[in-house]
Amino acid sequence: MSQTNPERPAEQQQIELTESGRADAVLSRALGVSRSQAADWISRGLVTEADSGDQVLKSTKVTPGTRVVVTDAQDPDPLEVKVEVVQDLTIIAEDPDYLVVDKPVGVAAHPSPGWVGPTVVGGLAGLGYRISTSGAAERQGIVHRLDVGTSGLMVVATSETAYTHLKDQFRDRVPAKTYHALVQGLPDPVDGTIDAPIGRDPGHDWKFAVLDGGRQAVTHYETLESFGTATLMRVGLETGRTHQIRVHFSAMRHPLAGDLTYGADPKLAANLGLTRQWLHAHQLGFQHPTTGEWVTYTSPYPHDLQFALSVLRNR
């Protein structure tokens, strides 16, 4: 790959790495820039894995053949964090080391290029909370994310120690993340595991799909309630690929109700009053970053998802 100005990558470029090691070190050698410059691009969220779309961290271990995308690093200024009032953003737990928030649909975890809507970071600032200053300026305190179209629980670090410990936990897949999802029809088997690799859909830049050569993705599911036309599932993740639950159930031909992007029936969505996928991060457990004690938090269904269930139950 050509590089005309190592301090300023092109708007978006893909590179295949040829050695093993920490991402910041390998990327600096591959692009001929300083390690601190590569680390800065990574910390600003400008480096992602080409196949999965997952953000690369400085400590990510890469291997020969790993393909990464470096996106427009020309503007060194951090994205602006707006102090704002975010409706329905609820604080579930307040600890000296962290906050557990119930994120409403339509809210991003943090500012990102092209996103002009509300964010968890901005909403917490609007409520007067101080969060960890670790990480890129626009993502301070954020140790994991939920999609804009998914509601439910997130933990946000408020101390520097908590940020490090929680980041490490999510990297090592220690937290227990339990989702509830309403899928169309009744999957066979009714309880099971989906083990299928996920990568970017070659026909759509903004979608993902089950693909040979994709990154390993494992989803466990259990039926909670069946309505014939739809089934309420408890879902646990071994991996955390982008859109993993949505992609896996769509590949089974049982897309999430309301998820028109991944093949849901628009008539059923309309009948249930859904304008987004029925998916909720219902429970979150992790090790307390200071005491090591296991803590668990639960979030009730928001009104739109509860309404869809009431329609099905009343039938």
mmCIF file of all heavy atoms in Angstrom, residues 10 47 64 84-85 91 106 116-117 124 152 163 166 182 188 190 192 194 254 272 274 284:
data_model
loop_
_atom_site.group_PDB
_atom_site.id
_atom_site.type_symbol
_atom_site.label_atom_id
_atom_site.label_comp_id
_atom_site.label_asym_id
_atom_site.label_seq_id
_atom_site.Cartn_x
_atom_site.Cartn_y
_atom_site.Cartn_z
ATOM 1 N N ALA A 10 -4.846 8.551 3.918
ATOM 2 C CA ALA A 10 -5.925 8.910 3.012
ATOM 3 C C ALA A 10 -7.250 8.819 3.745
ATOM 4 O O ALA A 10 -7.330 8.356 4.878
ATOM 5 C CB ALA A 10 -5.924 7.963 1.811
ATOM 6 N N VAL A 47 -8.979 3.145 13.708
ATOM 7 C CA VAL A 47 -8.455 1.895 13.163
ATOM 8 C C VAL A 47 -9.420 0.766 13.534
ATOM 9 O O VAL A 47 -9.699 0.539 14.710
ATOM 10 C CB VAL A 47 -7.051 1.578 13.713
ATOM 11 C CG1 VAL A 47 -6.493 0.308 13.070
ATOM 12 C CG2 VAL A 47 -6.106 2.747 13.457
ATOM 13 N N PRO A 64 -0.007 -12.013 11.324
ATOM 14 C CA PRO A 64 0.148 -11.823 9.884
ATOM 15 C C PRO A 64 -1.145 -12.172 9.146
ATOM 16 O O PRO A 64 -1.791 -13.182 9.440
ATOM 17 C CB PRO A 64 1.285 -12.789 9.532
ATOM 18 C CG PRO A 64 2.080 -12.910 10.783
ATOM 19 C CD PRO A 64 1.075 -12.866 11.895
ATOM 20 N N GLU A 84 -25.861 17.553 27.221
ATOM 21 C CA GLU A 84 -27.241 17.531 26.750
ATOM 22 C C GLU A 84 -28.143 16.774 27.712
ATOM 23 O O GLU A 84 -27.690 15.999 28.560
ATOM 24 C CB GLU A 84 -27.308 16.869 25.363
ATOM 25 C CG GLU A 84 -26.688 15.489 25.325
ATOM 26 C CD GLU A 84 -26.467 14.981 23.907
ATOM 27 O OE1 GLU A 84 -27.190 15.412 23.003
ATOM 28 O OE2 GLU A 84 -25.579 14.137 23.728
ATOM 29 N N VAL A 85 -29.426 17.021 27.568
ATOM 30 C CA VAL A 85 -30.436 16.267 28.305
ATOM 31 C C VAL A 85 -30.887 15.123 27.406
ATOM 32 O O VAL A 85 -31.363 15.349 26.296
ATOM 33 C CB VAL A 85 -31.638 17.156 28.674
ATOM 34 C CG1 VAL A 85 -32.727 16.326 29.336
ATOM 35 C CG2 VAL A 85 -31.193 18.289 29.591
ATOM 36 N N ILE A 91 -30.125 6.131 35.430
ATOM 37 C CA ILE A 91 -29.002 5.608 36.205
ATOM 38 C C ILE A 91 -29.519 4.437 37.042
ATOM 39 O O ILE A 91 -30.331 4.622 37.958
ATOM 40 C CB ILE A 91 -28.382 6.683 37.117
ATOM 41 C CG1 ILE A 91 -28.035 7.946 36.310
ATOM 42 C CG2 ILE A 91 -27.144 6.118 37.816
ATOM 43 C CD1 ILE A 91 -27.051 7.727 35.200
ATOM 44 N N GLY A 106 -32.021 4.877 20.227
ATOM 45 C CA GLY A 106 -31.785 6.144 19.555
ATOM 46 C C GLY A 106 -30.667 6.967 20.150
ATOM 47 O O GLY A 106 -30.452 8.112 19.739
ATOM 48 N N VAL A 116 -25.142 12.749 14.792
ATOM 49 C CA VAL A 116 -25.541 14.062 15.309
ATOM 50 C C VAL A 116 -26.568 13.935 16.420
ATOM 51 O O VAL A 116 -27.040 14.942 16.947
ATOM 52 C CB VAL A 116 -26.099 14.950 14.176
ATOM 53 C CG1 VAL A 116 -25.027 15.240 13.140
ATOM 54 C CG2 VAL A 116 -27.313 14.293 13.511
ATOM 55 N N GLY A 117 -26.936 12.711 16.788
ATOM 56 C CA GLY A 117 -27.939 12.504 17.819
ATOM 57 C C GLY A 117 -27.359 12.497 19.217
ATOM 58 O O GLY A 117 -26.171 12.763 19.427
ATOM 59 N N LEU A 124 -24.672 11.959 30.392
ATOM 60 C CA LEU A 124 -24.096 11.922 31.737
ATOM 61 C C LEU A 124 -23.505 13.275 32.112
ATOM 62 O O LEU A 124 -23.605 13.723 33.266
ATOM 63 C CB LEU A 124 -23.034 10.829 31.823
ATOM 64 C CG LEU A 124 -23.563 9.389 31.752
ATOM 65 C CD1 LEU A 124 -22.404 8.392 31.789
ATOM 66 C CD2 LEU A 124 -24.528 9.105 32.899
ATOM 67 N N GLY A 152 -30.870 -0.807 26.719
ATOM 68 C CA GLY A 152 -30.437 -1.656 27.820
ATOM 69 C C GLY A 152 -29.208 -1.171 28.547
ATOM 70 O O GLY A 152 -28.826 0.001 28.484
ATOM 71 N N TYR A 163 -11.670 2.224 34.917
ATOM 72 C CA TYR A 163 -11.570 2.184 33.455
ATOM 73 C C TYR A 163 -10.626 1.074 33.008
ATOM 74 O O TYR A 163 -10.956 0.270 32.136
ATOM 75 C CB TYR A 163 -11.085 3.528 32.920
ATOM 76 C CG TYR A 163 -10.986 3.576 31.411
ATOM 77 C CD1 TYR A 163 -12.091 3.916 30.636
ATOM 78 C CD2 TYR A 163 -9.793 3.266 30.752
ATOM 79 C CE1 TYR A 163 -12.008 3.945 29.244
ATOM 80 C CE2 TYR A 163 -9.702 3.295 29.373
ATOM 81 C CZ TYR A 163 -10.810 3.629 28.631
ATOM 82 O OH TYR A 163 -10.725 3.641 27.258
ATOM 83 N N LEU A 166 -12.167 -2.488 33.995
ATOM 84 C CA LEU A 166 -13.338 -2.855 33.208
ATOM 85 C C LEU A 166 -12.976 -3.078 31.743
ATOM 86 O O LEU A 166 -13.488 -3.997 31.098
ATOM 87 C CB LEU A 166 -14.418 -1.777 33.340
ATOM 88 C CG LEU A 166 -15.089 -1.703 34.717
ATOM 89 C CD1 LEU A 166 -15.970 -0.463 34.819
ATOM 90 C CD2 LEU A 166 -15.925 -2.961 34.985
ATOM 91 N N LEU A 182 -36.823 -10.766 20.636
ATOM 92 C CA LEU A 182 -38.049 -11.337 20.072
ATOM 93 C C LEU A 182 -37.764 -11.680 18.620
ATOM 94 O O LEU A 182 -37.497 -10.788 17.812
ATOM 95 C CB LEU A 182 -39.206 -10.339 20.176
ATOM 96 C CG LEU A 182 -40.563 -10.854 19.703
ATOM 97 C CD1 LEU A 182 -41.125 -11.880 20.699
ATOM 98 C CD2 LEU A 182 -41.554 -9.692 19.538
ATOM 99 N N ASP A 188 -35.756 -23.912 15.457
ATOM 100 C CA ASP A 188 -35.584 -25.343 15.709
ATOM 101 C C ASP A 188 -34.088 -25.645 15.688
ATOM 102 O O ASP A 188 -33.446 -25.466 14.654
ATOM 103 C CB ASP A 188 -36.302 -26.155 14.626
ATOM 104 C CG ASP A 188 -36.198 -27.660 14.857
ATOM 105 O OD1 ASP A 188 -35.846 -28.065 15.989
ATOM 106 O OD2 ASP A 188 -36.477 -28.417 13.904
ATOM 107 N N VAL A 190 -35.448 -25.252 19.849
ATOM 108 C CA VAL A 190 -35.961 -24.091 20.568
ATOM 109 C C VAL A 190 -34.921 -23.522 21.529
ATOM 110 O O VAL A 190 -35.008 -22.356 21.919
ATOM 111 C CB VAL A 190 -37.248 -24.450 21.334
ATOM 112 C CG1 VAL A 190 -38.371 -24.770 20.361
ATOM 113 C CG2 VAL A 190 -37.024 -25.622 22.283
ATOM 114 N N GLY A 192 -30.557 -23.562 21.954
ATOM 115 C CA GLY A 192 -29.375 -24.043 21.243
ATOM 116 C C GLY A 192 -28.252 -23.035 21.188
ATOM 117 O O GLY A 192 -28.255 -22.020 21.888
ATOM 118 N N ILE A 194 -25.617 -21.038 18.288
ATOM 119 C CA ILE A 194 -25.266 -20.694 16.908
ATOM 120 C C ILE A 194 -23.777 -20.387 16.891
ATOM 121 O O ILE A 194 -23.320 -19.460 17.557
ATOM 122 C CB ILE A 194 -26.062 -19.480 16.404
ATOM 123 C CG1 ILE A 194 -27.562 -19.666 16.646
ATOM 124 C CG2 ILE A 194 -25.777 -19.232 14.925
ATOM 125 C CD1 ILE A 194 -28.379 -18.398 16.421
ATOM 126 N N HIS A 254 -34.854 -16.581 11.113
ATOM 127 C CA HIS A 254 -35.717 -16.112 12.197
ATOM 128 C C HIS A 254 -35.221 -14.742 12.654
ATOM 129 O O HIS A 254 -34.731 -14.594 13.778
ATOM 130 C CB HIS A 254 -35.706 -17.101 13.368
ATOM 131 C CG HIS A 254 -36.309 -18.425 13.050
ATOM 132 N ND1 HIS A 254 -37.672 -18.632 12.986
ATOM 133 C CD2 HIS A 254 -35.728 -19.618 12.754
ATOM 134 C CE1 HIS A 254 -37.912 -19.897 12.686
ATOM 135 N NE2 HIS A 254 -36.744 -20.513 12.536
ATOM 136 N N LEU A 272 -47.011 -4.897 15.599
ATOM 137 C CA LEU A 272 -46.498 -4.868 16.967
ATOM 138 C C LEU A 272 -46.065 -3.465 17.398
ATOM 139 O O LEU A 272 -45.595 -3.282 18.524
ATOM 140 C CB LEU A 272 -45.303 -5.825 17.100
ATOM 141 C CG LEU A 272 -45.586 -7.301 16.831
ATOM 142 C CD1 LEU A 272 -44.321 -8.130 17.011
ATOM 143 C CD2 LEU A 272 -46.695 -7.825 17.735
ATOM 144 N N LEU A 274 -43.570 -1.738 16.218
ATOM 145 C CA LEU A 274 -42.113 -1.660 16.311
ATOM 146 C C LEU A 274 -41.527 -0.774 15.219
ATOM 147 O O LEU A 274 -41.861 -0.934 14.046
ATOM 148 C CB LEU A 274 -41.493 -3.058 16.217
ATOM 149 C CG LEU A 274 -41.731 -3.993 17.407
ATOM 150 C CD1 LEU A 274 -41.232 -5.402 17.082
ATOM 151 C CD2 LEU A 274 -41.022 -3.453 18.654
ATOM 152 N N LEU A 284 -26.632 -7.427 33.103
ATOM 153 C CA LEU A 284 -25.182 -7.251 32.960
ATOM 154 C C LEU A 284 -24.508 -7.594 34.277
ATOM 155 O O LEU A 284 -24.869 -7.054 35.331
ATOM 156 C CB LEU A 284 -24.856 -5.802 32.568
ATOM 157 C CG LEU A 284 -23.368 -5.440 32.435
ATOM 158 C CD1 LEU A 284 -22.727 -6.239 31.305
ATOM 159 C CD2 LEU A 284 -23.205 -3.936 32.186
#
